[in-house]
Amino acid sequence: MEWITRLNETINYIEKHLAGKIDYDRLGKIASCSSYHYQRMFSYMAGVPLSIYIRRRRMTLAAIDLQKGEKIIDVALKYGYSSPTAFNRAFRGIHGIAPSLARNSGAFLKSFPPISFVISIKGAEAMDYRIENKEEFRIVGISMPMDTEIEKNFEIVPPMWAAAAADGTLEKLAGLMDAQPMGLIGACVCYGDDNWRYFIAAATTLPAETPFEEFQVPAATWAVFPGEGTSQSIQDLEKRIVTEWLPTSGYEYGNAPDIELYFDSSQENMKYEVWIPIIKK
């Protein structure tokens, strides 16, 4: 129940701040995790990215304000849009009509009410996992900045992997592996401040020669989930971890990178592990 209570408290926070700034870090603190992990939980459990949910709620309220006779420019500023053009685009994206038409008799508008989280019965299918306590380890590879709105990173991470495969980077990283965990590593370093980065790397004791860089993964306790299949199966596994395993596990997210460990490069039947950092509640 504590898990559900905290998530619903974040919805209350969002509702109170729709006409103002919504602090993603504050949402993470309410949910007792990083803003990155909160966004992941929200997306998996609500079925929609956090930024889209907030936009839908704001445009729902904006339509009501316009029907009350408020000026378009005032409504735009109220919900965080500095220009009528940006507000028009957002309003059309939700309602399918321009804000100027919202007052017309018979205009069709969409309403997205606030969500609430409830306990649902899941878990008929078994999940294999192990708990691993690991001292800090060093990874070497390439990295790119990540956006603090995590859905935007789907435009960053897959092309990064494709480029690394095409230019021989993955092959070079495979040659550096000489430490545990053995495999190609995709690491989301998305905790602490906003300097989020995504690494494609290998655990190694060898020097980080140009263009590679190094990162020390801190000591942590990890829940490790094995899997195999396509990239979609990884997303499905991560969703089950967040929605089925984590709420009843007695753990919550810790402050360390999220890791995907790949044991081969096959796109059709990859063997992999998902590592999530955990701490006891």
Side-chain angles (χ1 to χ4, degrees):
M1 287 298 294
E2 179 186 357
W3 179 268
I4 298 298
T5 298
R6 278 186 283 177
L7 289 175
N8 284 321
E9 286 174 357
T10 67
I11 299 301
N12 293 336
Y13 171 87
I14 290 170
E15 287 299 304
K16 291 177 181 178
H17 294 82
L18 287 171
K21 176 178 172 54
I22 294 175
D23 186 341
Y24 282 21
D25 287 335
R26 177 61 183 155
L27 289 170
K29 288 176 182 176
I30 294 170
S32 296
C33 62
S34 69
S35 63
Y36 170 79
H37 286 132
Y38 174 75
Q39 289 180 74
R40 289 188 70 195
M41 286 192 297
F42 186 96
S43 179
Y44 286 140
M45 297 186 76
V48 62
L50 176 61
S51 63
I52 293 178
Y53 171 77
I54 292 171
R55 189 180 312 130
R56 287 175 174 177
R57 285 294 300 136
R58 282 177 165 158
M59 292 305 100
T60 295
L61 298 184
I64 294 171
D65 291 343
L66 291 171
Q67 289 180 320
K68 290 178 180 177
E70 294 186 29
K71 294 179 180 179
I72 292 174
I73 185 63
D74 292 339
V75 175
L77 291 172
K78 180 178 181 179
Y79 294 108
Y81 293 86
S82 57
S83 75
T85 301
F87 177 68
N88 192 321
R89 187 183 308 115
F91 195 90
R92 281 183 177 273
I94 299 300
H95 297 287
I97 61 173
S100 59
L101 301 177
R103 300 189 186 97
N104 292 353
S105 177
F108 280 100
L109 298 164
K110 288 184 170 60
S111 177
F112 292 92
I115 66 171
S116 61
F117 294 100
V118 296
I119 295 175
S120 62
I121 305 302
K122 295 182 179 180
E125 183 181 346
M127 296 185 71
D128 294 328
Y129 74 96
R130 71 180 188 273
I131 303 297
E132 183 156 327
N133 296 303
K134 189 166 179 57
E135 296 300 316
E136 72 172 9
F137 61 96
R138 174 176 171 271
I139 61 174
V140 167
I142 57 174
S143 78
M144 288 188 68
M146 292 185 73
D147 199 282
T148 53
E149 289 188 17
I150 64 172
E151 62 269 17
K152 293 181 180 179
N153 295 310
F154 289 111
E155 300 173 6
I156 298 172
V157 174
M160 184 180 172
W161 276 95
D167 66 14
T169 295
L170 298 187
E171 186 176 353
K172 292 176 183 176
L173 289 174
L176 293 177
M177 294 177 199
D178 68 353
Q180 294 294 332
M182 293 288 287
L184 285 173
I185 292 170
C188 295
V189 183
C190 302
Y191 55 95
D193 59 26
D194 292 340
N195 185 26
W196 293 1
R197 301 194 71 81
Y198 182 83
F199 280 82
I200 298 176
T204 183
T205 61
L206 299 175
E209 297 181 355
T210 305
F212 295 149
E213 56 189 294
E214 65 178 73
F215 178 78
Q216 289 292 138
V217 178
T221 300
W222 310 82
V224 182
F225 299 81
E228 59 180 272
T230 64
S231 58
Q232 182 59 51
S233 72
I234 298 175
Q235 293 183 41
D236 292 342
L237 175 57
E238 290 176 345
K239 180 176 182 179
R240 291 194 66 206
I241 293 169
V242 169
T243 60
E244 298 179 29
W245 184 82
L246 195 58
T248 58
S249 66
Y251 295 97
E252 56 191 29
Y253 278 115
N255 287 324
D258 280 24
I259 290 174
E260 294 171 354
L261 185 66
Y262 299 95
F263 300 114
D264 60 56
S265 59
S266 168
Q267 294 298 306
E268 296 302 319
N269 194 33
M270 295 182 289
K271 289 183 171 56
Y272 54 82
E273 289 180 342
V274 174
W275 291 44
I276 64 166
I278 54 173
I279 56 175
K280 280 282 189 182
K281 288 184 180 178

